[in-house]
Amino acid sequence: MKRKNLPIYFPSSLLILTIFLLGVSLILTSFFSLDIFRARVIDIDKANQLIEAKKQKENNYLGTTKVIFSQGFSDKGIDPRCLTWPSKLSYSGWSNDPKDHDFFIDHYIPPGKKAIICATPALSVALAIHPRKRFLYEVSKIDLDDGLYVRVVVGLSEVREPCKLFTGSVDCVNSILARQAVVKYEP
C-alpha cells in the first residue's frame, strides 16, 4: 500500500509573524546582553598611582585601598576588544546603602594587564538619555594580591522595588543587570 504524504500548509501571515518575533527577540537579546560598546578605558598606571598615594596618605599599608572614578560616558564606541578579551566576574549584587540601592558588578583584573569596561547598548542608551547620571566605577587593591578589583556601579535602583513587589525578591533581574557592564582585560 502506497503512503500519501500530505503537504503541510502554514498560513503566510503566521510564518511572517514568527520570523518577525524571532528577529525582535534576537535584537532585544543583543540589546540587553551583548557588551560590544567600550564605555571606558581603565588607566591601570593612573589607578595604581592614586591607590599608592591614598595608601600613604591614610597610612593604610594592610587591607584594601580603593579609588572612585566618577566620569562621563565619553569613551563610547564599538570596540572589538569587548568581544575578544576575557573577563572574570567576582561578584554582583545590590548595595546595602539605605539612601540608594544601586546594583554593582565586581570584576578582577590580573596584575600587569590593560583593561576596559564594556557596556551593552541598553546601558549606553540609559546613560545617554540621563546625562546627569555619571558612569561610576571603583578600583581597589588588596595588599595580599597584585591584581586589581573593579566595581562598576550600574545604578538602576528603580528596578529594585518593582522586582520585589512582583516576585518577592530583589534579585529577579540580577542575571540581566550583571551583563550590563563587563570589565575585560587583555589576554
Side-chain angles (χ1 to χ4, degrees), residues 70-97:
S70 176
Q71 300 172 347
F73 195 73
S74 62
D75 287 349
K76 57 189 167 190
I78 295 176
D79 196 330
R81 297 177 293 183
C82 288
L83 298 174
T84 58
W85 282 11
S87 172
K88 186 172 182 183
L89 177 69
S90 297
Y91 182 75
S92 64
W94 296 94
S95 66
N96 292 327
D97 185 6

Side-chain angles (χ1 to χ4, degrees), residues 30-31 34-40 73 75-83 116-125 135 180-182 184:
S30 66
F31 192 72
L34 285 181
D35 44 29
I36 58 174
F37 289 104
R38 180 183 69 239
R40 173 75 47 201
F73 195 73
D75 287 349
K76 57 189 167 190
I78 295 176
D79 196 330
R81 297 177 293 183
C82 288
L83 298 174
I116 57 175
I117 301 173
C118 301
T120 62
L123 181 61
S124 303
V125 168
F135 189 68
Q180 297 306 305
V182 178
K184 304 274 188 153

Side-chain angles (χ1 to χ4, degrees), residues 97-187:
D97 185 6
K99 294 178 185 174
D100 194 13
H101 297 286
D102 284 334
F103 190 81
F104 64 87
I105 309 159
D106 290 342
H107 283 86
Y108 175 74
I109 302 173
K113 301 285 186 179
K114 293 181 181 177
I116 57 175
I117 301 173
C118 301
T120 62
L123 181 61
S124 303
V125 168
L127 290 172
I129 290 173
H130 300 290
R132 292 188 332 250
K133 288 194 174 190
R134 307 290 286 166
F135 189 68
L136 177 70
Y137 66 97
E138 303 171 356
V139 179
S140 59
K141 184 170 190 160
I142 300 173
D143 285 336
L144 301 175
D145 189 5
D146 288 335
L148 295 174
Y149 291 88
V150 177
R151 173 174 280 187
V152 180
V153 179
V154 176
L156 299 173
S157 56
E158 304 87 21
V159 177
R160 185 180 172 116
E161 292 306 319
C163 197
K164 187 174 182 179
L165 180 69
F166 290 123
T167 64
S169 172
V170 296
D171 301 329
C172 67
V173 291
N174 283 12
S175 61
I176 295 171
L177 292 177
R179 293 289 310 158
Q180 297 306 305
V182 178
V183 178
K184 304 274 188 153
Y185 57 87
E186 67 180 345

